[in-house]
Each structure stands twice: as C-alpha cells, then as structure tokens.
Amino acid sequence: MLKLTRFTLCLAAALCVASSAQAQMQWTVTGGGWTPFLPEYKGLFQTSNANVVEATDVFESDVSHYGGRARVHGFYDFVGYRTLLEVRATIAGADSMGDRASIDDPSAASQIYLSSLDGDNDLATLDGETVSTNLNADTFYHDSYIGLRDLFDLTDWGIGELTIGCGLSHMRFDQDLTMDATVSPTKGLVYQEDLESNFLGGEIVATIRRQLFGRDFFFDTSVGIYDLDVVYDGVSTTTDGGAVIDTGDVTSRLSSSAFTYEAAIRYDWHFAGALIRPTIGVKYITDMPSIVHANDLTTPVSLTTDDALLLEGGWEIVF
C-alpha cells in the first residue's frame, strides 16, 4: 500500500508541474479487445492404489479468453524543449464463460481424489463414478504509467522520428476462479479462489515514427522490470448428500521479480474527418502467479510462477 501511495503522489506532482508549465497536450483513447494467455489451472488427481499417487492432473484449463480493453494515453509537449511528459492508464477484463470436463473412475484399483484446499478433508470416487467439473475464471486488469521521453529526429539516417524514455509503472491482475466438481450421485466440492497480483517497477519505452506506403506508422516497444507481490485467498466447501461436511480456508503470499517485453504497431488512418489508428500489440510477462493443486493430500495448494502472454488490439482515436 505504501508503494502505491508513493506512486500516486509522484503521478499527481508530475501532472501539477505539467499543467503549470507552458505546454501542448495531446490525448488518445484506445478501445478494443485483448486475450490474456495466463498460466494453466489444474486440479484433481488420481491414485493407482491406496498408497501411490500418480503425478498426472486429470483436469486442466488454459483460462485464456477474449475480453474488452480501454486505454487513455497523453503527452505534454513542453514548448521549446524536446522532452515530453507521458501518462497512460489501461483497464481490461475477460470472462471465461466456463470450462467443463467429465472424468470417469476407470477401475476399482484407481481413485480420483478431490481434496479441500487446507488438506483437512477429501472425497474419493468409487469404481464407475464420474467427476464432472466446471471452471469459471474472470480476469480484471489495469495499469498506469508516468514518465519522460526525449524526441530525436533521425529521418536523415533513414530511421524516422524516435522518442525514447523511462518512467514508473504499475500493473495489477485480479483473477477470480470458481471450480465446481461433483461426484455422482451426491458428493461435491467447490473451490472459490482469488489471486491478486501487483507489479510495481519501471519501464524503458521507445517509439519510432516513419512514413510507409504514404502513411505514418508507429513502432512501439518497451521493457519493464517489476517487484511482484501476490496475495492468494481460497475457500473450499465439501458436500455429501446436499449437506456441508467441511470448509477450508487458505491464505498465501508470494514475492518475486518479473520482466515484461512489449511491442505494438499503429498507423494513421483518417475516417469521417477523425484521425484513427488501428493498433495491434503483444506483451510477454516472464513471471505470473500460478496456483498449484499438488498431488499430495497434506499440502494440496501452493503458489508458483510461470510466463504469460497478452495479445491486444483496437482503435486509437487522436484528440
């Protein structure tokens, strides 16, 4: 919370300085879609007998789904200087709409286990029983950035116009996951899990603007380094015959570092008297939190990290 407060104060101070100086302001608003390819969600496990647990997940989902995205991006151009003040903010969301699977217990020598998140209780299938699962995974995302850029005209070198700079950056992912598993005919288990990931750090950004095919094209790149702070909250509810027989609560934290690499392309297009820029981009994140539902009844849930990819596209309107 202290880090976020400092970041907010820095943003407010910079905007006050910009508004008091002689400057020209330009804003763009981008609307469109995105697809987050986040770490897979896996659960349930199977035993070949009462003592040996197979290291094979019998349910998994890529939790990657299409959603909406909006961004506000602004530049303050100080008159008489080549330095620009840059601010931006993004908000996005994606809804999984449900991933379903049906898993059969193949024989009397095999069992499928559904463990509570705290490991205090579990359900096991009988021969011939079927586990039916449904996963809903919703993702909310926002980011904010403030920094300075310098402008260099490299047209004579055949490169174009280059702006390059750095600044403070914050990203936040909030994942709500609900996994509902039922065992015919009466047993069931529900996981309700929340995964909140805060990335706080800095970005180096660069944009090349040049003429291609009679249009202005923009090639955007950035590299970020972040401190990652993850908070996990999970609640499991086990039922048998419609009655609740166990609830389990788990809270966990994870701290790590992460890098991001981003690239995007935009180009000028005039439509109905307005300047609109179609845009498409990709962001790679080296470390995103992942929930591990382990093949172990004593420690059934923990956190680790894996990489992630964000695909983004839309229309940028220039004001």
Side-chain angles (χ1 to χ4, degrees):
M1 182 63 69
L2 180 59
K3 291 181 179 179
L4 292 178
T5 301
R6 289 175 178 173
F7 182 81
T8 304
L9 291 175
C10 289
L11 177 61
L15 289 176
C16 289
V17 171
S19 61
S20 62
Q22 184 182 9
Q24 294 178 346
M25 181 180 67
Q26 182 184 73
W27 291 100
T28 64
V29 176
T30 303
W34 74 316
T35 299
F37 294 92
L38 303 178
E40 287 186 330
Y41 181 94
K42 300 179 180 180
L44 312 180
F45 58 92
Q46 191 172 335
T47 60
S48 57
N49 56 56
N51 299 314
V52 179
V53 177
E54 295 179 354
T56 303
D57 297 293
V58 295
F59 170 75
E60 62 184 54
S61 169
D62 59 10
V63 296
S64 301
H65 303 278
Y66 181 80
R69 170 180 169 268
R71 167 173 287 186
V72 177
H73 198 173
F75 284 98
Y76 287 88
D77 182 3
F78 297 100
V79 175
Y81 300 90
R82 68 182 184 188
T83 299
L84 309 172
L85 174 67
E86 179 183 10
V87 292
R88 72 168 186 262
T90 307
I91 187 170
D95 189 349
S96 72
M97 304 300 291
D99 285 340
R100 295 174 175 82
S102 183
I103 309 143
D104 295 325
D105 183 349
S107 67
S110 175
Q111 289 179 304
I112 299 174
Y113 274 96
L114 297 87
S115 175
S116 62
L117 291 175
D118 58 6
D120 290 343
N121 191 274
D122 64 84
L123 295 176
T125 59
L126 302 175
D127 184 23
E129 286 189 322
T130 299
V131 178
S132 298
T133 62
N134 179 66
L135 174 69
N136 284 308
D138 301 328
T139 302
F140 174 78
Y141 166 82
H142 72 77
D143 67 41
S144 54
Y145 170 87
I146 181 170
L148 295 174
R149 290 204 195 204
D150 277 350
L151 173 64
F152 301 92
D153 190 352
L154 305 178
T155 305
D156 293 340
W157 292 20
I159 296 176
E161 187 180 86
L162 171 67
T163 58
I164 187 169
C166 61
L168 297 174
S169 178
H170 171 245
M171 301 188 300
R172 178 175 175 267
F173 291 82
D174 189 358
Q175 296 173 256
D176 294 317
L177 306 108
T178 301
M179 199 276 288
D180 187 351
T182 59
V183 181
S184 58
T186 60
K187 296 175 288 186
L189 181 67
V190 177
Y191 291 168
Q192 292 177 304
E193 299 168 284
D194 179 76
L195 196 59
E196 184 177 308
S197 310
N198 281 287
F199 296 78
L200 186 62
E203 275 187 81
I204 299 173
V205 295
T207 297
I208 293 176
R209 174 182 180 176
R210 64 172 300 168
Q211 280 269 329
L212 288 175
F213 312 113
R215 297 180 184 273
D216 280 340
F217 275 75
F218 300 80
F219 302 90
D220 303 311
T221 60
S222 74
V223 176
I225 180 170
Y226 296 89
D227 286 329
L228 169 60
D229 184 24
V230 183
V231 178
Y232 167 87
D233 289 302
V235 178
S236 61
T237 304
T238 309
T239 60
D240 190 356
V244 175
I245 61 174
D246 181 76
T247 58
D249 298 334
V250 175
T251 299
S252 182
R253 299 184 71 99
L254 172 69
S255 295
S256 181
S257 58
F259 292 88
T260 63
Y261 306 92
E262 187 171 9
I265 297 176
R266 300 172 289 143
Y267 68 90
D268 283 354
W269 181 49
H270 293 272
F271 177 76
L275 177 55
I276 298 175
R277 294 178 182 142
T279 175
I280 186 170
V282 59
K283 174 178 283 189
Y284 175 73
I285 305 173
T286 60
D287 293 87
M288 275 290 294
S290 175
I291 305 171
V292 179
H293 298 102
N295 296 330
D296 183 352
L297 290 177
T298 60
T299 56
V301 63
S302 60
L303 297 177
T304 187
T305 61
D306 202 350
D307 59 355
L309 191 70
L310 310 181
L311 297 180
E312 304 166 339
W315 301 86
E316 181 181 80
I317 302 175
V318 182
F319 293 92

